[in-house]
């Protein structure tokens, strides 16, 4: 993948457009309480019909427009992206776009034993696997369906065997899974980079409250051992990096207690082609309609430039009663976190 020499679009706060998260489906095969709680996303929930999803051709074309605007890194998300049929075909398309330097994917890992080798062969480089606990009771309760953590661990092993880089994301909630973080760390620190994410007020149905947020120093204490900070690898890196005495790396994503909006370089495209400029956005720009109505690449690029240049989102830095109360936000299952 060649480097991108394009001067990126910048927003009102001088933040460049560098990263694009592409949601390929709104469906998921888990019902995690902080994302798609089963009481809301139940058996009768109406997910999007296939005709409303962007086709692979449409995703490729819009990605080219974003790359022309400065995007270098792509991340496939969902819902659960591995539920999208023939996903390796999309990856193969995206790999060929000049200027794309990296393609990764966020997944719950359940389908990796079947698909990891094909994903790697298509050009995927890395996966981030969500796993909130290795305690079967805790994990089963958090994923909403009683799924055993061994199924995710099998997916992680399949990804490693296929030659994919692996990170593990854990959403930490006080009184839910924080007491078992040390067990998770011990089980996986030799296999992957672990990242611990503060419980965030994403979407409208996850019952967020500040008391359930576990701050970074407490997370490190739960892991045990002595940790020292490590410098960021690039501008816009969301996780602060820490290394223990044995060289194991832990990442802390602290959107609540230590917001990092000032370096946010990420755009998000939903499975139906809506551009969101913030994880906590209340609305976005519809790109599917002009795309299907025959807009040229130049016209689509102008829509992107107009939206990004006017961007001033920094929800996490402004978070409080005034911003949180009665503020409907896009669901995480629509844009993949």
């Amino acid at each position: 993948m060649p480097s991108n020499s394009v001067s990126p679009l910048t927003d009102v706060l001088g933040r460049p457009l560098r990263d694009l998260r592409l949601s390929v489906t709104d469906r998921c095969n888990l019902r995690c309480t902080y994302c798609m709680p089963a009481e809301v996303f139940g058996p009768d929930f109406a997910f999007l019909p296939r005709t409303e999803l962007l086709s692979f051709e449409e995703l490729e074309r819009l990605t080219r427009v974003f790359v022309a605007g400065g995007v270098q890194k792509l991340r496939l998300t969902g819902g659960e992206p591995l539920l999208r049929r023939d996903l390796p075909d999309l990856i193969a398309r995206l790999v060929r776009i000049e200027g794309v330097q990296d393609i990764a994917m966020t997944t719950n890992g359940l389908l990796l034993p079947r698909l990891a080798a094909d994903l790697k062969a298509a050009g995927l480089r890395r996966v981030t696997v969500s796993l909130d606990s290795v305690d079967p009771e805790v994990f089963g309760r958090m994923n909403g369906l009683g799924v055993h953590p061994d199924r995710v661990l099998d997916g992680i092993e399949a990804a490693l065997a296929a030659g994919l880089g692996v990170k593990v994301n854990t959403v930490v909630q006080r009184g839910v899974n924080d007491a078992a973080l040390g067990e998770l760390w011990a089980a996986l620190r030799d296999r992957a980079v672990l990242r611990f994410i503060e419980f965030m007020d994403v979407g409208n149905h996850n019952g967020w409250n500040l008391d359930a947020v576990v701050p970074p120093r407490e997370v490190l204490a739960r892991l045990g051992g002595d940790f020292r900070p490590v410098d960021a690898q690039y501008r816009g890196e969301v996780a602060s990096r820490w290394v223990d005495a044995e060289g194991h790396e832990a990442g802390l994503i602290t959107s609540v207690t230590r917001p990092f909006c000032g370096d946010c370089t990420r755009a998000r495209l939903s499975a139906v082609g809506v551009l969101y400029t913030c994880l906590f956005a209340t609305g976005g720009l519809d790109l599917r309609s002009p795309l299907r109505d025959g807009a040229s690449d130049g016209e689509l690029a102008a829509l992107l430039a107009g939206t990004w240049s006017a961007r001033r989102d920094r929800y996490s830095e402004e978070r409080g009663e005034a911003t949180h109360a009665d503020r409907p936000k896009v669901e995480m299952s629509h844009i993949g976190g």
Side-chain angles (χ1 to χ4, degrees):
M1 302 180 195
S3 63
N4 186 356
S5 60
V6 173
S7 296
L9 298 169
T10 55
D11 68 9
V12 171
L13 302 178
R15 297 170 295 187
L17 173 61
R18 287 296 191 195
D19 304 84
L20 176 62
R21 302 194 170 197
L22 290 165
S23 175
V24 296
T25 181
D26 65 328
R27 298 172 185 266
C28 188
N29 45 3
L30 292 180
R31 289 295 179 269
C32 296
T33 54
Y34 54 81
C35 181
M36 295 179 68
E39 60 269 23
V40 177
F41 298 87
D44 297 326
F45 186 83
F47 290 98
L48 295 167
R50 187 174 179 85
T51 54
E52 291 194 23
L53 303 180
L54 293 176
S55 68
F56 286 178
E57 292 80 5
E58 291 170 330
L59 282 163
E60 179 185 1
R61 186 177 170 203
L62 285 175
T63 298
R64 290 183 183 277
V65 171
F66 277 88
V67 170
V71 162
Q72 297 177 345
K73 299 172 63 177
L74 307 177
R75 177 171 292 274
L76 301 179
T77 69
E80 170 49 48
L82 293 182
L83 291 177
R84 183 72 184 260
R85 186 178 303 170
D86 300 322
L87 190 66
D89 293 345
L90 174 62
I91 292 168
R93 286 173 174 268
L94 299 178
V95 165
R96 293 193 292 267
I97 297 176
E98 184 176 359
V100 172
Q101 296 183 16
D102 184 55
I103 298 181
M105 181 179 67
T106 298
T107 172
N108 61 35
L110 297 182
L111 297 177
L112 281 175
R114 178 161 57 89
L115 293 171
D118 289 341
L119 295 167
K120 174 65 175 178
L124 190 71
R125 293 187 170 185
R126 299 177 292 112
V127 291
T128 298
V129 180
S130 300
L131 179 60
D132 297 319
S133 181
V134 292
D135 181 300
E137 181 180 351
V138 174
F139 182 62
R141 187 166 60 248
M142 292 186 73
N143 68 53
L145 296 178
V147 172
H148 197 283
D150 282 353
R151 292 188 58 191
V152 181
L153 294 171
D154 289 344
I156 291 171
E157 291 303 318
L160 292 169
L164 292 167
V166 176
K167 291 182 179 179
V168 175
N169 274 0
T170 298
V171 175
V172 181
Q173 295 177 257
R174 187 179 303 282
V176 179
N177 65 332
D178 57 322
L181 295 182
E183 183 183 4
L184 178 73
W185 174 249
L188 288 170
R189 63 189 176 189
D190 290 319
R191 311 295 289 153
V193 172
L194 278 72
R195 303 198 303 181
F196 300 92
I197 304 172
E198 288 181 338
F199 182 34
M200 294 183 289
D201 49 332
V202 181
N204 309 288
H205 304 293
N206 68 358
W208 182 83
N209 67 83
L210 186 59
D211 291 339
V213 175
V214 181
R217 287 291 182 184
E218 188 174 337
V219 170
L220 292 177
R222 294 278 190 181
L223 303 186
D226 295 322
F227 286 85
R228 60 178 176 82
V230 179
D231 290 339
Q233 295 174 313
Y234 54 88
R235 179 178 181 182
E237 186 172 20
V238 300
S240 61
R241 300 168 60 228
W242 298 78
V243 175
D244 69 9
E246 298 176 342
H248 302 114
E249 181 180 324
L252 302 178
I253 299 178
T254 56
S255 173
V256 179
T257 62
R258 298 179 185 175
F260 39 82
C261 299
D263 278 333
C264 180
T265 61
R266 291 170 295 286
R268 294 170 169 86
L269 190 68
S270 78
V272 295
V274 177
L275 166 63
Y276 293 96
T277 57
C278 180
L279 178 60
F280 305 95
T282 58
L285 173 70
D286 175 19
L287 292 175
R288 186 188 66 182
S289 293
L291 175 67
R292 293 185 176 179
D293 288 342
S296 67
D297 286 356
E299 290 169 329
L300 293 170
L303 290 171
L304 169 60
T307 298
W308 192 266
S309 64
R311 175 188 187 238
R312 56 177 70 247
D313 304 282
R314 53 189 190 94
Y315 174 84
S316 288
E317 292 181 347
E318 298 173 329
R319 180 186 279 107
E321 291 302 321
T323 57
H324 180 68
D326 301 321
R327 185 183 190 272
K329 301 183 288 292
V330 62
E331 295 297 338
M332 194 189 326
S333 59
H334 287 182
I335 53 176

